[in-house]
Amino acid sequence: MLQSIRSLLKKVDLVLLTLCVGATCYGILLIASATHYTGDLHNVIVQAAAMVIGLVLYFIFSIIDIEYYFEKWWLFFAFDIGLILLLKTPWGVGKSGNLSWLDIPFFPMMLQPAEIVKLPFTILLAKQMAWFRENRQMRGLDSLFWPAAHAGFMFIFIYVISSDAGSAMVYLVIYAGMAFAAGLPWYWFAAGFGSVGLGVLLLVIYDKVPSHMMKRFLVLFDHSYEPRGVGWQQTRGLMALGSGGVFGQGLFQGIQTQSSLKEALPERETDFIFCVAGEELGMVGCMAIIIIEALIIYRCFQTARVAKTTMGSYICVGLASMLMIQTIENIGMCLFVMPVIGLTLPFFSSGGSSIVTMFAAMGVISGVRKRMLPEWLRHG
């Protein structure tokens, strides 16, 4: 039995696994504190169960060659579309104006399709871009158009179905990270960013931006703008962070975190879990989160450098880009320098779908690392 466990552990990236488990356990502790005032352990139990499921998927994806199974790419693309479309069935559940969750009868937790689909989307896009990199050197217009069309389609599709612009945006960032790694000429990036900037400007000029979105950006430049309206969440979050000082008020002792008043810290176990760490564990607790996230992201990029195949390398870059944008946006949102768009903090925020997907994604990266080229061949 012991020999089998040792043999299994040799097939996975133990460094990455340790970082992911450590981050999730830290997150579960913060969630337990954030929900302590309710007397309900539901979120803690779901998060722990999701980690167990995620660990199983981590080992599975570490062992199998994901590139082989994605030869039938159309099946996975159909899966992506079908899962998102389920939001339009009676199982679809809305929250804060977004139709982002599935409440399937007899299933123990709600699912968030946009979270789950990130992984197959990233692998499919990596397969697509690897083909263009190896056959066209990313120089022709089709090398730009088809991967960009794939990412653009998913962005529009998810936004139209769910109205969740935050989750949809992550798909574009995954594409941008891969395109950069693939060596897409800089002028295409300049043209892309310029076009997006011009498009946003025209939408603002002609008053086509939804008012709630516009307000989320306006409040970043004027924190006194609607302090009890659109600026309420971030104002309370910033107060929680500031009140923690260097070492915090103590776990399970934060004034806002442990308050049952509706005026206290909102969405404390999900979007504002970083503020819980700041209030109760102080700057030390927040820095621990940032360091752990940074190490996980670094490990992903490091694996991209030693990957055996182009596709494997792009998968790692795409998933690292996903982790980066979610971490930067979530922490920036808590610091009142980024808009509130509902992106969770990877491995820390409460959410079964997110945890399972993150562990599965890291399992794919672990598999890429275990199938890397030998040292002598990489540097020979």
Side-chain angles (χ1 to χ4, degrees):
M1 179 66 177
L2 186 60
Q3 187 65 31
S4 298
I5 294 175
R6 287 177 178 173
S7 177
L8 183 62
L9 290 176
K10 288 180 180 179
K11 297 178 181 179
V12 305
D13 183 351
L14 285 177
V15 173
L16 184 59
L17 178 61
T18 301
L19 289 170
C20 294
V21 171
T24 307
C25 289
Y26 185 7
I28 290 174
L29 186 64
L30 293 175
I31 293 166
S33 182
T35 58
H36 178 67
Y37 75 99
T38 67
D40 186 357
L41 292 175
H42 174 76
N43 292 86
V44 175
I45 293 171
V46 168
Q47 197 80 347
M51 183 176 72
V52 173
I53 297 172
L55 282 170
V56 173
L57 292 177
Y58 183 93
F59 281 95
I60 290 174
F61 284 118
S62 293
I63 295 170
I64 68 173
D65 186 352
I66 198 68
E67 296 184 32
Y68 170 79
Y69 288 96
F70 268 72
E71 286 299 318
K72 293 181 171 52
W73 60 268
W74 59 91
L75 295 177
F76 293 93
F77 183 72
F79 168 80
D80 292 352
I81 301 303
L83 191 61
I84 299 295
L85 283 176
L86 283 178
L87 290 170
K88 286 298 186 179
T89 70
W91 294 345
V93 176
K95 183 181 178 183
S96 302
N98 295 336
L99 185 64
S100 302
W101 287 266
L102 289 175
D103 188 5
I104 301 174
F106 307 110
F107 200 75
M109 63 183 182
M110 289 201 296
L111 301 177
Q112 192 171 3
E115 281 289 332
I116 298 170
V117 169
K118 285 176 187 174
L119 180 55
F121 164 78
T122 301
I123 298 172
L124 285 176
L125 188 63
K127 180 178 179 63
Q128 189 177 24
M129 295 193 72
W131 188 90
F132 280 109
R133 180 71 180 85
E134 293 167 356
N135 294 278
R136 306 289 176 83
Q137 296 299 310
M138 294 300 291
R139 294 294 175 183
L141 282 175
D142 54 349
S143 301
L144 168 70
F145 176 77
W146 290 113
H150 182 186
F153 169 77
M154 290 302 297
F155 170 80
I156 295 170
F157 183 66
I158 291 171
Y159 180 68
V160 168
I161 296 296
S162 68
S163 300
D164 189 349
S167 294
M169 179 199 67
V170 175
Y171 288 74
L172 297 182
V173 175
I174 291 172
Y175 163 73
M178 281 193 205
F180 180 80
L184 191 70
W186 65 268
Y187 48 81
W188 286 120
F189 283 101
F193 286 122
S195 299
V196 171
L198 179 60
V200 171
L201 181 61
L202 290 173
L203 289 173
V204 172
I205 291 174
Y206 290 100
D207 196 24
K208 297 297 182 181
V209 179
S211 60
H212 69 280
M213 286 188 181
M214 195 67 184
K215 288 179 179 179
R216 288 179 183 179
F217 283 94
L218 289 175
V219 75
L220 298 179
F221 300 98
D222 181 5
H223 290 184
S224 64
Y225 179 74
E226 293 193 9
R228 300 192 68 83
V230 70
W232 173 255
Q233 291 181 314
Q234 288 172 290
T235 298
R236 303 309 296 182
L238 201 58
M239 289 176 63
L241 278 171
S243 66
V246 177
F247 298 105
Q249 299 173 15
L251 197 62
F252 294 92
Q253 296 179 37
I255 294 174
Q256 285 202 72
T257 300
Q258 301 306 322
S259 174
S260 59
L261 298 175
K262 65 179 182 179
E263 291 83 7
L265 183 64
E267 307 293 344
R268 63 194 79 172
E269 74 275 15
T270 53
D271 293 358
F272 288 88
I273 195 73
F274 187 77
C275 296
V276 171
E279 182 178 54
E280 298 198 331
L281 301 176
M283 185 178 69
V284 173
C286 289
M287 287 304 300
I289 290 176
I290 293 172
I291 290 171
I292 294 171
E293 295 281 19
L295 288 173
I296 293 173
I297 293 168
Y298 173 75
R299 190 68 174 180
C300 293
F301 279 123
Q302 189 183 51
T303 301
R305 293 184 58 198
V306 299
K308 182 179 180 180
T309 65
T310 304
M311 179 179 167
S313 181
Y314 291 169
I315 289 172
C316 295
V317 171
L319 294 175
S321 300
M322 174 189 72
L323 291 173
M324 281 183 65
I325 187 59
Q326 290 195 207
T327 301
I328 292 171
E329 162 57 29
N330 183 275
I331 294 177
M333 174 185 71
C334 293
L335 294 174
F336 219 155
V337 295
M338 299 287 277
V340 176
I341 57 176
L343 289 184
T344 55
L345 186 60
F347 298 104
F348 288 90
S349 294
S350 176
S353 296
S354 176
I355 288 296
V356 170
T357 302
M358 289 296 170
F359 269 93
M362 296 304 102
V364 172
I365 290 177
S366 172
V368 170
R369 189 173 191 86
K370 285 302 173 180
R371 284 182 290 276
M372 66 185 183
L373 290 173
E375 187 75 17
W376 66 269
L377 192 55
R378 278 187 277 128
H379 300 288

